[in-house]
Amino acid sequence: MQELVNFLKEIGNRKVMVVGDLMLDSFVYGDVERISPESPVPVLAVSREDKMLGGAGNVVSSLAALGVKPVLFAVIGDDARGAEVADIARKTGADAGGLVVDAGRPTILKTRYLARNQQVLRTDIEKTHAIDPAIEAKIFTGIQKVLKQVQAVVLSDYGKGVLTKSLLEKVVAAAAAAGIPVLADPKGRDFSVYRGADVVTPNRKELGEAAGIETPKDDEEIIAAAKKIIRECGIKTVLATRSEDGMSVVPSVGEALHLKARAREVFDVSGAGDTVIATMAAALAAGASMADAAKLANIAGGLAVSKVGTTPVRAEEILAVLEGRDSGGSLQAPIASWTQAGEQIRKWQAQGLKVGMTCGCFDILHFGHVNYLNEARRQCDRLIVALNSDESVKILKGPSRPVNAEAARGAVIGALAAVDLVVMFGAAKTDEDNTPVELVGTLRPDIFFKGGDYTVEQLPEAKPVLAYGGEVSIMKMHEGYSTTGIIEKSRKTA
């Protein structure tokens, strides 16, 4: 176990090259409340749109979340979407110098329209013919220049024309000559195009199709199908993902390894394959054996299916599993980072739950606080408390506050039945923004609660909430209860 932890900690010092079909994924959210008078189709009243990397970009995001430096080689169009994809890739942490502009094809865009988190339509803008030889030459020239700087190569094939047979042959041969492992996420039935690859990662259905048999079910059938592919297609190792049954690693030489899936809620399987190959590549890049890399990938795959959409798995989440810190059943609401809170909110919202948020110092918890939080929780399905950091409280209340440090305040507020998640915010210096405006705009709760004699117009937090279609609720405070009053009373009593 400690060896796996060591490999995980080494991942952050590695670079992994990703070559494949890059896309832009767009998710358009809204509500359908009427049918169009022009034709019998629903009218989606759009409230927000989220954009992220798709296709090979899922692997890039997964690698970046693990702490690896992704080096990306792909094709984008000579259009605004191409520039947007490149910008997102760089912000993710990838080296996007290998993006080649092809004026003859658009940047691939997949748009999903969702009404109350139910997908009602998907549109694709793409051309899937093979890239021109001149574009292929540009990609491979770039790969040759930086190949020796990376420790693993991932071929992310979505069948959109970038990974031509000749490009695959050249990349695999160049990586083999440099002693760099190549992992392929295959597309289609002919795995011989990946000949020489160290690992291919089909799911159970893809494995059966490539082997020309029915979908294999048990260990023996998985091994037989994998061995056939290894023998006929020149692949060194097959890693077959098996959904709820975990995964199997079948090498060309030696015994097969069957890893059982870790029991957890399966919420969304999209992107799990990209998480598996990214983790596998990162671990091999860090020097792990094929078996140890697969063990880490199996944990990551189990975490991936418990998330919404293609939310990446972070290294610290895998580490928590390895160290036994991810067990559920706690009645304590966790203190989450902004990223973790955003992932949890999207999961709740995808389940159709209404997410509320409020904010405050909550320095000494009292009757007014408890009643306020209970009332807020009655108006939503899940309640998040944004807690001012210690420095933020000092700016608001003076140098003698807070009485209780943020960790203690977070633990106490998180123990209340009304609270489902705690997240920290606030300024570190007096000249910085000390409001939760940025946090609210990032997390996008369905409803934002504020206690006191305010109007919506007076609240700086209201602007971002209303901008993305959320609602603001001004709630009455319970008179006669305040932290300041409690402190003054205790001083007089003393």
Side-chain angles (χ1 to χ4, degrees):
M1 188 67 71
Q2 185 57 46
E3 194 170 24
L4 295 181
V5 172
N6 293 339
F7 286 132
L8 193 61
K9 291 179 178 179
E10 276 296 309
I11 279 173
N13 301 319
R14 300 296 187 264
K15 290 184 178 181
V16 173
M17 180 183 292
V18 180
V19 188
D21 301 298
L22 184 61
M23 311 172 194
L24 180 64
D25 279 347
S26 173
F27 295 82
V28 179
Y29 298 89
D31 290 312
V32 173
E33 297 179 348
R34 64 191 180 96
I35 300 299
S36 170
E38 301 165 356
S39 59
V41 295
V43 176
L44 181 70
V46 176
S47 59
R48 78 178 197 273
E49 180 179 11
D50 293 335
K51 292 181 179 179
M52 61 193 71
L53 298 178
N58 290 333
V59 180
V60 168
S61 298
S62 295
L63 288 168
L66 291 170
V68 176
K69 178 71 173 181
V71 181
L72 177 60
F73 284 87
V75 170
I76 56 175
D78 186 14
D79 49 33
R81 286 194 303 274
E84 189 172 10
V85 164
D87 183 57
I88 295 173
R90 292 187 188 99
K91 288 179 179 177
T92 300
D95 178 345
L99 292 179
V100 176
V101 176
D102 184 350
R105 61 202 300 145
T107 302
I108 298 175
L109 172 66
K110 295 185 180 296
T111 306
R112 297 161 180 85
Y113 296 88
L114 299 98
R116 295 187 182 275
N117 299 298
Q118 177 65 48
Q119 191 171 149
V120 296
L121 177 68
R122 185 179 119 175
T123 61
D124 292 358
I125 298 176
E126 62 182 14
K127 287 185 179 180
T128 59
H129 61 272
I131 55 175
D132 293 336
I135 298 295
E136 179 183 313
K138 283 185 180 180
I139 294 174
F140 186 62
T141 298
I143 289 172
Q144 287 178 302
K145 290 179 179 178
V146 299
L147 184 59
K148 291 184 179 180
Q149 300 173 22
V150 306
Q151 289 77 47
V153 175
V154 174
L155 304 172
S156 183
D157 196 348
Y158 278 76
K160 304 303 180 183
V162 171
L163 291 175
T164 62
K165 188 173 185 296
S166 60
L167 182 58
L168 286 169
E169 290 174 350
K170 288 185 286 189
V171 173
V172 171
I180 299 169
V182 176
L183 301 88
D185 188 358
K187 188 72 173 178
R189 297 170 183 249
D190 181 12
F191 285 10
S192 67
V193 296
Y194 311 106
R195 186 175 299 277
D198 294 272
V199 186
V200 292
T201 60
N203 59 35
R204 185 161 30 194
K205 181 173 182 292
E206 292 167 337
L207 178 66
E209 291 175 346
I213 62 174
E214 290 186 8
T215 301
K217 299 176 179 62
D218 57 27
D219 292 352
E220 289 71 23
E221 291 179 355
I222 291 285
I223 293 172
K227 288 291 188 181
K228 184 179 180 185
I229 289 171
I230 288 169
R231 185 174 61 253
E232 296 179 357
C233 301
I235 306 297
K236 296 177 184 176
T237 302
V238 172
L239 185 152
T241 56
R242 302 172 60 181
S243 188
E244 69 277 1
D245 293 326
M247 62 174 60
S248 295
V249 182
V250 184
S252 56
V253 178
E255 296 295 319
L257 173 66
H258 304 290
L259 299 170
K260 296 300 181 184
R262 182 179 172 82
R264 63 175 65 246
E265 177 189 14
V266 177
F267 189 80
D268 192 340
V269 299
S270 57
D274 294 318
T275 298
V276 166
I277 198 169
T279 309
M280 191 83 180
L284 291 175
S289 66
M290 196 68 68
D292 285 341
K295 290 173 185 176
L296 289 173
N298 189 47
I299 294 171
L303 290 165
V305 298
S306 69
K307 293 172 175 279
V308 174
T310 55
T311 304
V313 173
R314 296 180 299 277
E316 55 264 33
E317 293 177 275
I318 301 175
L319 186 61
V321 174
L322 290 173
E323 295 179 345
R325 294 184 284 106
D326 72 324
S327 57
S330 173
L331 299 178
Q332 177 78 37
I335 301 176
S337 68
W338 288 24
T339 299
Q340 292 167 333
E343 291 175 7
Q344 184 59 68
I345 289 170
R346 285 193 292 274
K347 182 173 180 176
W348 283 332
Q349 290 173 332
Q351 292 172 314
L353 300 175
K354 188 174 186 179
V355 179
M357 177 187 284
T358 190
C359 64
C361 302
F362 297 99
D363 192 3
I364 297 177
L365 201 62
H366 54 68
F367 176 84
H369 289 147
V370 173
N371 279 275
Y372 168 77
L373 293 171
N374 283 336
E375 179 56 35
R377 185 60 165 78
R378 292 188 193 101
Q379 298 182 41
C380 60
D381 300 302
R382 297 290 184 270
L383 180 63
I384 299 168
V385 173
L387 205 60
N388 291 81
S389 65
D390 288 346
E391 290 303 317
S392 174
V393 176
K394 280 184 172 63
I395 293 169
L396 288 171
K397 305 292 186 179
S400 64
R401 300 280 296 276
V403 174
N404 295 299
E406 59 190 49
R409 290 184 285 123
V412 171
I413 205 79
L416 296 178
V419 179
D420 299 285
L421 196 70
V422 179
V423 62
M424 309 301 300
F425 81 98
K429 300 177 181 178
T430 54
D431 58 347
E432 296 175 348
D433 179 20
N434 205 20
T435 72
V437 169
E438 184 182 358
L439 177 62
V440 170
T442 300
L443 300 188
R444 296 188 169 193
D446 299 295
I447 180 168
F448 181 78
F449 299 101
K450 186 69 176 180
D453 295 325
Y454 298 97
T455 64
V456 172
E457 293 73 23
Q458 291 173 325
L459 287 180
E461 303 95 322
K463 188 173 182 179
V465 175
L466 298 176
Y468 64 71
E471 55 181 299
V472 177
S473 176
I474 306 297
M475 300 172 61
K476 290 184 178 180
M477 298 295 289
H478 290 265
E479 298 294 332
Y481 298 93
S482 73
T483 299
T484 302
I486 292 172
I487 292 172
E488 290 177 356
K489 184 178 180 180
S490 65
R491 285 172 177 167
K492 290 177 181 178
T493 302

